[in-house]
Amino acid sequence: EVRLVQSGAEMKKPGEPLRISCQTAGYAFNSFWISWVRQRPGKGLEWMGHIYPGDSDTTLNPSFEGQVTISVDKSLYTAYLHFNSLKASDTAMYFCARRLRSGAGYSWFDPWGQGTLVTVSS
Amino acid sequence: DIQMTQSPSSLSASVGDRVTIVCRASETINIHLNWYQQKPGKAPDLLIYGASRLQSGVSPRFRGSGSGTDFSLTISSLQPEDFAVYFCHQTYRPPYTFGQGTKLEVK
C-alpha cells in the first residue's frame, strides 16, 4: 500500500523556523515527484512546489520563493518542507502528495498525506 | 500562471439528484485536468485524472469530461457521502493551479 504520512501539528511563534516531514512507503521513492500544497483556513488549495527525490531537482511556485525550501532524505524515504522565518500568514494546513504521470504526459496527485496543521501566533 | 475558474462556488442538492460542476482554464491545457473531493479536516481524494479517467475504486456515478479550456464533473444520483468540496486542478504547466472549489451541500 502506498502511504504518505506527515508529521504532527505545530504551534510556533512568528520568526521561528520550522521543518515538516512527509514519510513515504510502498513505492519507489526516488522515481516520483512529491508536491507540497497549502490550504489556509476555509480556503482553497495552493501548489507550493515539488521535488524529484532521485536527484533533488526542485521547482518552487514563484509565489513561495524565498519563503520555503523543499528537500528529501533518500535514506528515510522522506520529503521535507522548510520555513526559514514563520509569519502569522503561514497558518495553514500543509499537504504532501505524490505526482503520477501517464505515458501520454498528463499527471495527477495521488495519494496525499493526511496534512500537517501549522499555527503561527505570538 | 494558468487560472482555473470553477462554477458554481456552492451548490445545494438532494440525495438522488444529478449535479454538474464546471471548470474553465485561462488557456488551453489539453486534458491535463484532475478532480478531487475533499471532506472537512481531510486531505483531497482523487476522483478523475486526465479529464475523464476514473480513479480506481471511485464510484462510476462520477464522470469527468472536457478538453482544452472547458471541463466538467458530473455526479449522477447523489449519495449522502458525496456532500463535500470539489476542486479541479491543472497539471499542464507549473505552477500547478487549482480551482477555488465548489461546496456541495444538502438542500
Side-chain angles (χ1 to χ4, degrees), chain A residues 13-31:
Chain A
K13 291 181 166 38
E16 291 184 337
L18 175 66
R19 185 185 77 172
I20 60 177
S21 65
C22 172
Q23 185 171 33
T24 73
Y27 73 98
F29 177 68
N30 287 352
S31 302

Side-chain angles (χ1 to χ4, degrees), chain A residues 5-7 19-25 27 29-30 34 36 51 53 70-82 96:
Chain A
V5 179
Q6 296 184 228
S7 49
R19 185 185 77 172
I20 60 177
S21 65
C22 172
Q23 185 171 33
T24 73
Y27 73 98
F29 177 68
N30 287 352
I34 290 183
W36 286 96
I51 188 165
I70 300 174
S71 67
V72 294
D73 184 329
K74 292 196 283 187
S75 68
L76 297 178
Y77 308 106
T78 299
Y80 300 97
L81 178 66
H82 305 259
C96 60

